[in-house]
Amino acid sequence: MAARLVLATRNAHKVGELQAILTSIGVDVSLVGMDAYPDLPDVVEDGLTFAANASKKARVAAEATGLPAVADDSGLCVDALNGMPGVFSARWAGTHSDDAANLALVLAQISDVPDEHRGGRFECAAALVLASGEERVTQGRIDGVLIREPRGTGGFGYDPAFVPHGYEVTTAEMAPPAKNAISHRGRAFRELAPFIDELVVARQQPGGKR
Ligand code: ITT
């Protein structure tokens, strides 16, 4: 039976996406989203780094459920904005803002930045925390440029304005498996996969160390 792992997010889309990433590389786990634990309070993402927030989300979930937990935190870092919105990516246009408002604000802020200085990157930190407190954190990034007119309807967040280096389409114009293959999140979780295998899957097998 596949080892159970809690994914510290209430975003059902993320549960499906990460299950696909892990299954595609042969990690035999069954992910459970936080929707299965409606009584647990939301974690306040108040760290100054993606790693700090990912680690906090996974730690809270592992402590509350007694199961091994994974979490990620990610965002867009724009060169011309000194790496912002960064950890503030989800709430750049205000506490309850939406993806469209966040994207419009970033594009407005860099509207007079010349093409050669419109570089940026998505970054992601992925964390695994065991109920014992043992922890591993990995990182992934994808570099590209921010175009002026959003294109595409796939993905979410800042995808319609982000063209990865070496591509002509935005990440919102890519099919999900194509984006996962090169994305910051795909990379961070592929780096984390060997630790999930070693610390979770192997230990839940008969005779495995707990
Ligand atoms: P959690 O429940 O897991 O916290 P979230 O919706 O807060 O999920 P993240 O912290 O991972 O999502 O992402 C923060 C923001 O960064 C997200 O709202 C987007 O604006 C942006 N972002 C992250 N990954 C992205 C991607 O692959 N494509 C476009 N935008 C992305």
Side-chain angles (χ1 to χ4, degrees):
M1 208 177 79
R4 285 210 314 156
L5 197 59
V6 174
L7 176 63
T9 182
R10 293 197 191 279
N11 183 338
H13 175 83
K14 253 192 193 178
V15 181
E17 184 178 307
L18 289 177
Q19 182 77 65
I21 291 171
L22 293 174
T23 304
S24 76
I25 52 178
V27 179
D28 188 21
V29 289
S30 165
L31 287 181
V32 185
M34 292 304 281
D35 279 349
Y37 302 91
D39 296 339
L40 293 184
D42 284 336
V43 175
V44 180
E45 296 180 34
D46 53 2
L48 286 182
T49 63
F50 298 117
N53 283 335
S55 165
K56 180 178 179 183
K57 284 193 266 187
R59 195 171 58 248
V60 170
E63 282 169 2
T65 64
L67 287 173
V70 289
D72 76 322
D73 192 41
S74 56
L76 176 72
C77 303
V78 179
D79 295 348
L81 297 178
N82 243 328
M84 298 317 255
V87 290
F88 305 108
S89 291
R91 52 188 192 277
W92 192 235
T95 318
H96 299 292
S97 68
D98 53 38
D99 281 0
N102 288 331
L103 175 61
L105 180 56
V106 165
L107 289 181
Q109 287 167 324
I110 62 170
S111 61
D112 60 351
V113 173
D115 289 353
E116 66 270 28
H117 293 142
R118 293 177 65 93
R121 63 194 181 275
F122 282 123
E123 287 191 18
C124 177
L128 166 69
V129 177
L130 307 189
S132 65
E134 204 172 343
E135 169 177 319
R136 298 288 184 281
V137 180
T138 58
Q139 316 257 0
R141 64 184 272 176
I142 176 171
D143 291 83
V145 296
L146 287 149
I147 58 171
R148 293 172 193 278
E149 293 297 330
R151 293 194 323 243
T153 54
F156 68 105
Y158 302 90
D159 278 328
F162 186 80
V163 175
H165 285 327
Y167 291 80
E168 292 189 349
V169 292
T170 68
T171 39
E173 294 176 301
M174 293 180 170
K179 181 186 163 189
N180 288 345
I182 58 168
S183 79
H184 50 312
R185 193 168 301 103
R187 287 177 173 155
F189 274 93
R190 281 192 292 277
E191 291 275 315
L192 195 69
F195 296 120
I196 298 173
D197 252 339
E198 175 196 337
L199 301 177
V200 180
V201 179
R203 289 182 188 180
Q204 289 194 11
Q205 275 159 6
K209 180 187 154 213
R210 300 254 163 184

